[in-house]
Amino acid sequence: DNYFEWIQPKAGPIAFPILRIETGIDKFCDTLAREKSVMLLPATVYNFQGSYFRIGFARKNLPEALERLEEFVTKTF
């Protein structure tokens, strides 16, 4: 399933994808942090509308974090 939609950044280590599910982005990010210790910043932190979130690619543990994100999405949706 396509739970996320994004445009690959042309430069820089940050993306701002949108979550394509009915769960609000704040609840999604909060539950993900609590259950999988993965932090994504919801668009509401930036006073931006929609189910967007910030994800950074410069972390050394990015592969592990992406695995945890995938586990969470697969289990939850």
Side-chain angles (χ1 to χ4, degrees), residues 2 12-13 16-17 20 22 39 45 49 51-52 61 67 69 72:
N2 292 328
F16 205 55
R20 294 283 182 203
E22 299 214 7
M39 187 176 81
V45 171
Q49 298 294 316
S51 291
Y52 292 88
N61 67 341
E67 283 181 29
L69 174 60
F72 177 76

Side-chain angles (χ1 to χ4, degrees), residues 29-75:
C29 291
D30 182 63
T31 306
L32 176 65
R34 291 178 191 278
E35 291 186 13
K36 293 292 184 176
S37 298
V38 173
M39 187 176 81
L40 300 177
L41 294 177
T44 54
V45 171
Y46 305 103
N47 293 319
F48 194 81
Q49 298 294 316
S51 291
Y52 292 88
F53 61 92
R54 178 191 175 276
I55 186 169
F57 300 109
R59 303 214 29 115
K60 289 183 181 181
N61 67 341
L62 181 64
E64 179 185 348
L66 290 176
E67 283 181 29
R68 290 179 186 185
L69 174 60
E70 182 179 20
E71 288 171 3
F72 177 76
V73 169
T74 302
K75 178 189 113 188

